[in-house]
Structure formats: structure tokens, C-alpha cells
Amino acid sequence: PRPVIPETKALRHADSLERVPLAPGTLATAFGLRLAGDDVQLNINGLPARIFFSNATQINFEVPPSLPTSGAVNAFVTVDTRNSPARALNLAPASPGIFPNAVLNQDFSVNTASNPALAGSVLQLFLTGLPAGPDPVTVRLHDYTVAPLFAGPAPGFIGLQQVNVSVPPDLHSLTSEIAVCAGAVCSPARPVSVRRP
């Protein structure tokens, strides 16, 4: 019988599942076929990626932090000593993305239209793809560009980052959008709701 060869069909950003260039340290997802086995590894440019979840069609992993921040590298999956064909992964200095349902109010509840943040309170955003380098992190909230109170690793989680930002106190009640930017590169926007006290 012919050996069962794994196949990698797509490498995507973990937050949006979009095919975009990924920054080193970003959480990402590989989709494919025949990815399950006793020994599953993902290799990117000669470096093993840290795997958090895998089944027959999906692998969730961290893009190795020591990779360069530009260019294209090859990625392949090894399942029980059998390698998938290599697939190109484009790299970028930053690839921020806020996870779904990861805009939290100051009390750690999920921000929704029926559970808005108070103007003047703190929002907590959980994301991946911010660089470790010097690019300034800003938050776009409705018509405002705000410097965060904190932007860095989320305690206890590999590849997950946290940004805390104050809601402008003069913001009126609304449902709008929020995005996190590293330099000129911004995450896809997520909905956010605010109300005046």
C-alpha cells in the first residue's frame, strides 16, 4: 500500500483565519488533510513550531518567534516521519488580530451591544501578532486614536497578547469599531459598544 502522506492546504492567522503575512510569535492555524498521528510536528524554515492543538484537518501553532520579519519561508507538517509537501508562509513585522469575543469590559465581561463599556472605563483586548520591537501600539476606537495603558504578553499564555485602553470619557453612547495598530499595520476591526454613565 502507498504511504499516507499528510497535506497542508492553508496557513492562516488564528484570529480571522485569513491568509495574511504573519509576524514571528503570532498564533496561527494550519488546515489540511491526514494531519493526525502519534507524532505530529510543524516545521517552519528549519524551526519547530510550538503546537497547541491538532487533529486530522487542523493544527493550531505559534509562528516561531526567532524567524525573520519579512520574506517567505517554507512550512511543512511531519506526521509519524512522513512529510507533507512544503507550503510558503509570508512573514511580516506585525500581524495584529483581536480574537472573537475578546473585547472585555473592565469587569472582565464580554463587551456587546447589550453589555457596553462605560465611557471612562478600561477595555481589555486579547489578540496576537503584535511585534516585540519598537513600533508604537495604538488603539483606534470610533474616531479616536488612543495610546494603550498596557500592551504586552497576556500572563500565562504563549503567543497571546493583551492591550488595555481607557475609553475616552467624553465618548457618547454608541456601537462602533475598535482595532489595534502596530505602527501603520492595524488589526481587522471588532465591534465595540460604549454608553455614557
Side-chain angles (χ1 to χ4, degrees), residues 2-197:
R2 296 177 60 185
V4 176
I5 302 298
E7 182 180 356
T8 306
K9 290 186 170 291
L11 301 168
R12 303 288 173 90
H13 197 292
D15 105 274
S16 61
L17 301 182
E18 292 181 355
R19 184 178 178 181
V20 294
L22 298 175
T26 301
L27 299 179
T29 299
F31 294 103
L33 299 171
R34 300 175 292 279
L35 302 180
D38 294 326
D39 182 17
V40 178
Q41 300 174 37
L42 178 61
N43 183 293
I44 303 177
N45 204 37
L47 298 172
R50 197 171 344 205
I51 293 175
F52 301 101
F53 167 84
S54 66
N55 63 19
T57 59
Q58 180 176 339
I59 296 174
N60 295 348
F61 66 96
E62 179 193 29
V63 179
S66 58
L67 285 171
T69 56
S70 64
V73 293
N74 283 329
F76 64 88
V77 175
T78 303
V79 178
D80 299 335
T81 73
R82 297 188 179 100
N83 295 338
S84 71
R87 182 165 288 276
L89 173 64
N90 293 315
L91 297 171
S95 54
I98 305 168
F99 286 99
N101 300 313
V103 177
L104 305 187
N105 295 328
Q106 189 166 314
D107 64 359
F108 297 93
S109 63
V110 176
N111 180 278
T112 63
S114 60
N115 187 38
L118 289 175
S121 68
V122 175
L123 284 169
Q124 306 170 75
L125 315 174
F126 291 90
L127 66 158
T128 190
L130 290 178
D135 282 339
V137 175
T138 56
V139 177
R140 292 183 181 173
L141 172 56
H142 191 54
D143 294 331
Y144 293 79
T145 298
V146 185
L149 304 170
F150 170 82
F157 295 94
I158 294 165
L160 184 66
Q161 294 157 327
Q162 180 175 350
V163 171
N164 296 346
V165 62
S166 288
V167 179
D170 57 342
L171 196 60
H172 54 280
S173 298
L174 54 75
T175 292
S176 187
E177 293 185 328
I178 193 167
V180 176
C181 305
V185 180
C186 296
S187 69
R190 293 285 182 191
V192 64
S193 293
V194 175
R195 71 176 177 87
R196 293 297 293 269

